[in-house]
Each structure stands twice: as structure tokens, then as C-alpha cells.
Amino acid sequence: MTDLSRTEPLQHWSSPDPFDPHSIEKLAAGQERYYMASQWQMMWWKFRRHKLALWSGVILLALYALTLVVEVVAPYAPSTRSARHIFAPPQSVHLFHEGEFVGPFVYGYRFKLNTETLKREYTENRERVQPLRFFCRSDPYKFWGLVASDIHLVCPAEDGFMFLLGTDRLGRDVLSRMIYGARISLTVGLLGIAISFLIGITLGGISGYYGGWIDSVIQRLIEIVKSLPELPLWLALSAALPVSLSPILVYFGITIILGLLEWPGLARAVRSKLLSLREEDFCTAAQLMGASPKRVIGRHLLPSFMSHLIASATLAIPSMILGETALSFLGLGLRPPIVSWGVQLSEALNINVVALYPWLLLPMVPVIVVVLAFNFFGDGLRDAADPYK
Amino acid sequence: MLNYLAQRVLIMIPTLLVISLLVFLIIKLPPGDFLSNKMQELQSQGDRSALERMEFLRQQFGLDRPMIEQYAAWLGVWPHHGEFSGLLQGDWGWSFEFNRPVIDLIGQSMLLTAILNLAVAIFVYMVSFPIGVYSATRQYSWGDYGFTFLGYLGLATPSFLLALLLLYYANVWFGLSIGGMMDEQFIDSAWTWAKIKSVLSHLAIPVIVIGTSSTAGMIRRLRANLLDELQKQYVTTARAKGLPPMRLLIKYPIRMALNPFVSDIGNMIPQMVSGSVIVSVVMSLPTAGPMLLQALQSQDQYLAGSFLMFLALLTVIGMLVSDILLAILDPRIRLSGSATT
């Protein structure tokens, strides 16, 4: 039995501060920052953690920045020919000549035609030291076809040559052409995806929002387009482009063709997202307040899954870049004088090229790098697209 | 099951109809046709008898009729003009360029295309299944990283370049002959064991090349699916109860992960057929690829149309097979009559 007659108070601590009923809701600074952040900010935080995706993004950004200034970066113009250097192998950049520092330079070529195999044999000419020049004058060009200039980032020595990645059948510098090709090959994917984005969002939006028979018709259409083998159709469509078309129109024609078959995946993504979102309260509220379907889709629904869409669009770009490469390789895509990686690779159609002039296959390196970078970048975006998870 | 099968086969009919319309529109897209181009050429040469022959062919195949009538005739639902009866009657038309019935030209190459794609499908399954299971069960091991890296590389390399490189190195290292589907002495001989062996050795490189990107995608998906399953509670429970790891793996998670694995083959088939077209051009295989390219360039419409139709048919049938496999595997689909995706 306890002693009930005890009179002194219990010993316990009590705060002298006035009682604040909201104290439990107070957030730490870090928590506050997290809860107040916008959706895009949270996506960025999440994306940042994905190191591979981050670096892929940096690489892509650098490459797209390059496409803006190809004229300056490329040491030669894309059509400059050196008749004395046909199928010349890549040179390597040296720093020391006979133990002496001269800065970056290349050795000249010594050329000999093998009279038995008719193979052109180039050897390094150790006596000709050709130091590279930087921010120098060389081939004239028109920057973006507008401003005439002749300043390059790096050019060969005066009266010298610099073919860091060798030359092709006509003695044109492979490196310069690869740099110019980047402008075409990288933008083909972007334009193509813009077109399929448009078709995909429109059809997917209609299908997901209205449902019913419209939905099933569009679904069947998607299934049919998806079940078609892409390449033969791309081939057939590009064979339909008239031969007399100007190169720039061929370029746009090819991007449209690439975009035309790529939309079903996007349309499906839009539809399935819409189907779940249109049941949400904010959507019903907008409808009750008299918003038109166009406004509900465009203003309320689309923004809430834009991030997903961007991620799936990013993942669709590589197949377009590969598609352009394949078409041009077969001679049905872009045509000279346009320079793209696919056009360059089309010179390597013959197995002899692999054996004799393997450097003509080098444009495949940027293709692989870009496709990989887009894949990693897209994966990162997809993971970040739902930051609340 | 029968119900589902019937439904699935019936859906193919409108699908093929729409495809045939698309194919027809695409091959008629370029202005003019093979015969009118040829006639212009002949007119400038003043070759009267050939010109008359062309005019006869033009009438025979109704190339002077309106587009919709031509389509219907090609399909075989329109009263035919002359000799030509249409696809539904089993008449694939006439190749103007080779001056032979299309069926004579493409019969052999269709068979080889089908064989090639079948071999690719088998290759994709046989390679991706063990690697996918290995990668998932040994997540973050060196092997897993290695296969993931190879897989990404396989996804990113254009197949025609891979074809070129492999052709070259196969010849240098293993002395495999370059290109073609079989050694030359077998081309017109009857099927013997030696011929089959020759075909198989020539098949190896194209199959690897065409299958690589599909295999890479398949491994990625199987790995992801299996990883999802392996994290679930029932696996932990089974482990806690002392089920041997191998038996556990085969009995539960793999069966669950197998479902998307089978249905994905449907998505891969168009990709494989695409791949086989370009790779056969590079490797000069006597499959649909090179001849389709030629027919498209010269606007030989019935030849091109037949090839496109055949390739589409191949994918549609492939998808049917994958759906049937899926229905056998998964009672939910078999009973509800539609895929639960």
C-alpha cells in the first residue's frame, strides 16, 4: 500500500515558457526547404543524385553547344579536298620532337603507291614538323550561312596539313566532317521527336480524355503502327522523296518520316497517365467550373505529367538518331552535300573499307556516345520525374 | 482458351487490312510508276515494240485506273483485269523490273527471311534468359556490371556497323567466309546435311548482329522484373522456411518474371525484322532486305508491296505467337480474354 498521506510535491521538471500549441508543427530548416520546394526543384535534387545521368547530360549539352559553333571548331570546311592526301591515315599529335619540346605538332606524310596492291601507303615524315596554330586563319566559311569569317579554333601549320582522324575517298578531313555532321545528326532527332511529340500528345490526349469508342479506335491504330517494322517503312517513305528535292527539304522530309512512326509509345504514355489523372479531384473541379476539354487537358492535366513525357521523349531520341544513320547509310536518307554521321558512314558500306581504311568507321563513335548518353540521361529523368516517391 | 484464340485471330484481319492500305499508299507515294517511267525512257529511244508491250502491261495491271480501284484490285476484291487476280487469291503480282511473277522471285527469300528471324528469336531467348537471371540474382557483382555494360553497348551500336565489323573479324580470326547465306556450291543443290551445316555457319553472324540489341533490351527487362520479384515478402518467407535457393528461384520468382519476358518478344519482333532488313543489305544475304531496297528505288510496286506486306505479316504472326504463349503461361489472360497491362 502506498503512503497516501505524503504531502511534498513530486520532483519533476517543467518549462517556464508559455505553452505554444503549434510547437509540434514547426519544421527544421532542411525540412522546410524540402516541403516548400517546387516540383521542378525536387526533380533537380533527385536527378542530381544520379551521377551517370548527370554526366550524360553534361556531355549532351556540350555536344549541342558544339553544333552552334561547328564552323569555328572544325579545322577545315566540310568540302575542302586535298588531292594529295586520299585515304590518309590519322595523324597523332606530338609534343616533343627528338627530345625537344615544340608544343603540339603533327608530322607530315610520306606517300608511296604500292604498285602491286595499288594501296596508298602513307608513312610519318619525321623531318616535317608542323606545329598546330590556335585561333588562326584558315579555310573561309560563313558562320550560320550569314557572317563571313575564317577564324578557327585550331588549324594546321601554314602550308602544312592536319588530319587528326585521317581523310576519306576524296581527301576530305574526317574530323572536320564529323564536327559538321554533328549539327545534322543531332538535330534530326530533336526535330523528329518534336513531330512525334505533337502527334503523340494530341492523339493520346484525345484518347485518354474522351475514352469510349474514340479511345478504342486510337488504341487499334497505335497497335497497328506499333506492329509495323520501322525500317522497311522508313525506307519506303524516304524512297518516295523525289531525287530532285533540295538538300534542306530532304533533311526536313527525313525528320518528318522519322517522327511519323515514333509516336505510338508517347501516345500510350499520355493516355495511361491521363486515364488516372482525369479521376483526380482537381480535374472534376475544373470541369464543374465550366472549363472546356481543351483547357482541362492543356492547363490542368498536361502540366502534371509533363515531366514523364519529357523523360519518355528523351528515351525515344536515340532510335531516331540510329534511324537517320541507317537510312543515310543505305543511301536513302540524307544525301551529299549534306554531311551527317550516317552519310559519312555510307562510305564504309564496303567490307574492304574496314580492312584498308578503318578510320572511316570513326563516325560510329559519336553515334554510340550520343545514343548511350541519351539513354542514361533519359533513365535519370524518368527516375526523377516522380520526385514524391 | 479457344474463345481467346478466336478473338485474337479475328483481330488480325482488320489489322492486316489497314496495313495493306498503308503499304499501298506508301508505295504509290512517289509520283509516276515503274511502267510510266520506263515508257518515257523508251519513248526517247523510239522503241515501238517494247512500248506496246509496256502499254499492254499497264492495261493488264490497271495502272491507268484510279488509285482506289488499283488498291482494290491489288487486294483482290475488285473484278480483275486481264491475268492479275490479287493478293487474296494468292497472286502477288508481277515484277516489272525482272519480268517475272513476284512469287517466283521472292518465294525463296521469304523462306530464308522467316528462318533467319526465327533463328534470331531463339538466339535472343537462349542468351538473354540465363544472363538476365544471373544478373538479377547476383546484382552488383562484376558479372552483372559487365553484362549491363555490354548490354548498353549493344543497344547503342548501329547493327549494320556491328555487321561490318563482325564480318571482317570473323573472316580474319575464324576464316568464316564473307556474306551470303551458304557456300556457293550449295546455292542450287538440294537440301543435304552439308548444305544445312553451311547455312548454319553462315547464319551465325547475322543472327548475332540482328539479335544483339533485342537481347540487350530483353536482359535489361528480365533483370528489372526479376529484381522486383526477389524483393517481395514471399521470397523472404520461403527463404526463412529453408527452401533451397535454386528451387525457390525456379519455383516462384522466375515464373512471375517470365510473363513480361514472353510478352516483350511481341514488341521486339518489329525491331528484329527491321534489323534483318538492313543487316541483309550489308551482308548481302538473299533475304528480303536487298531486293526490297532495289524494288523501292526502282518503284517496282508489286515487288516492293509484296515484300512490305510479307514483313508486316511476319511481325503480326510473331505477335500472335507471343500472345498465344502468354495465354498458355498466364491463366488471367486466358480467362479474361485480354492482356492485363
Side-chain angles (χ1 to χ4, degrees), chain A residues 295-337:
Chain A
R295 188 176 161 83
V296 174
I297 296 180
R299 184 93 194 112
H300 297 280
L301 295 178
L302 267 186
S304 43
F305 63 93
M306 210 52 196
S307 49
H308 285 272
L309 277 190
I310 292 174
S312 27
T314 313
L315 285 171
I317 292 179
S319 73
M320 299 216 176
I321 291 178
L322 288 178
E324 183 274 323
T325 316
L327 281 181
S328 305
F329 177 74
L330 289 179
L332 280 173
L334 301 170
R335 295 188 270 261

Side-chain angles (χ1 to χ4, degrees), chain A residues 138-211:
Chain A
S138 168
D139 282 352
Y141 56 83
K142 278 200 154 177
F143 191 67
W144 281 88
L146 296 172
V147 189
S149 168
D150 58 355
I151 293 184
H152 292 259
L153 185 65
V154 52
C155 15
E158 308 263 359
D159 74 339
F161 294 96
M162 179 186 81
F163 303 119
L164 296 185
L165 299 183
T167 61
D168 64 5
R169 172 174 62 87
L170 296 174
R172 296 172 298 196
D173 182 28
V174 171
L175 174 67
S176 301
R177 284 171 69 76
M178 259 164 74
I179 293 173
Y180 273 89
R183 178 174 277 175
I184 300 297
S185 293
L186 288 175
T187 49
V188 155
L190 283 194
L191 279 177
I193 206 70
I195 291 164
S196 59
F197 212 70
L198 209 70
I199 306 176
I201 287 185
T202 316
L203 287 183
I206 293 172
S207 162
Y209 187 83
Y210 288 106

Side-chain angles (χ1 to χ4, degrees), chain B residues 254-265:
Chain B
I254 280 191
R255 293 190 183 188
M256 294 299 291
L258 214 55
N259 202 338
F261 187 66
V262 170
S263 68
D264 266 350
I265 199 86

Side-chain angles (χ1 to χ4, degrees), chain A residues 122-369:
Chain A
Y122 291 90
T123 45
E124 226 170 37
N125 184 350
R126 286 261 166 194
E127 280 139 38
R128 287 208 58 186
V129 174
Q130 304 177 343
L132 305 182
R133 297 177 295 149
F134 294 93
F135 297 105
C136 40
R137 288 174 191 283
S138 168
D139 282 352
Y141 56 83
K142 278 200 154 177
F143 191 67
W144 281 88
L146 296 172
V147 189
S149 168
D150 58 355
I151 293 184
H152 292 259
L153 185 65
V154 52
C155 15
E158 308 263 359
D159 74 339
F161 294 96
M162 179 186 81
F163 303 119
L164 296 185
L165 299 183
T167 61
D168 64 5
R169 172 174 62 87
L170 296 174
R172 296 172 298 196
D173 182 28
V174 171
L175 174 67
S176 301
R177 284 171 69 76
M178 259 164 74
I179 293 173
Y180 273 89
R183 178 174 277 175
I184 300 297
S185 293
L186 288 175
T187 49
V188 155
L190 283 194
L191 279 177
I193 206 70
I195 291 164
S196 59
F197 212 70
L198 209 70
I199 306 176
I201 287 185
T202 316
L203 287 183
I206 293 172
S207 162
Y209 187 83
Y210 288 106
W213 68 270
I214 300 180
D215 182 31
S216 27
V217 167
I218 293 180
Q219 282 309 300
R220 288 294 90 72
L221 190 69
I222 288 178
E223 264 163 35
I224 290 170
V225 176
K226 259 182 104 85
S227 73
L228 292 173
E230 273 179 356
L231 195 79
L233 284 192
W234 276 341
L235 283 179
L237 283 169
S238 22
L241 290 177
V243 187
S244 52
L245 224 53
S246 78
I248 196 77
L249 283 180
V250 170
Y251 169 71
F252 283 116
I254 294 290
T255 54
I256 291 172
I257 289 169
L258 290 176
L260 271 182
L261 290 180
E262 221 24 72
W263 58 268
L266 277 175
R268 234 177 214 181
V270 174
R271 175 179 169 270
S272 65
K273 265 288 167 198
L274 267 183
L275 279 184
S276 61
L277 278 175
R278 74 170 179 185
E279 307 297 332
E280 298 278 335
D281 289 342
F282 68 88
C283 182
T284 322
Q287 275 168 337
L288 288 176
M289 289 166 97
S292 66
K294 207 177 110 205
R295 188 176 161 83
V296 174
I297 296 180
R299 184 93 194 112
H300 297 280
L301 295 178
L302 267 186
S304 43
F305 63 93
M306 210 52 196
S307 49
H308 285 272
L309 277 190
I310 292 174
S312 27
T314 313
L315 285 171
I317 292 179
S319 73
M320 299 216 176
I321 291 178
L322 288 178
E324 183 274 323
T325 316
L327 281 181
S328 305
F329 177 74
L330 289 179
L332 280 173
L334 301 170
R335 295 188 270 261
I338 291 188
V339 191
S340 80
W341 294 333
V343 172
Q344 267 186 294
L345 285 171
S346 67
E347 300 212 348
L349 189 55
N350 196 316
I351 187 104
N352 290 331
V353 169
V354 188
L356 297 176
Y357 319 114
W359 56 91
L360 287 187
L361 287 175
L362 280 174
M364 75 189 271
V365 175
V367 173
I368 294 176
V369 169

Side-chain angles (χ1 to χ4, degrees), chain A residues 93-116:
Chain A
V93 179
H94 303 263
L95 285 176
F96 294 93
H97 177 60
E98 289 171 351
E100 212 174 304
F101 181 77
V102 257
F105 72 93
V106 292
Y107 286 115
Y109 288 107
R110 196 176 274 142
F111 170 68
K112 196 176 98 214
L113 187 67
N114 188 332
T115 41
E116 274 171 39

Side-chain angles (χ1 to χ4, degrees), chain A residues 71-85:
Chain A
E71 287 96 341
V72 182
V73 177
Y76 288 96
S79 52
T80 304
R81 296 178 53 185
S82 165
R84 287 199 291 129
H85 299 92

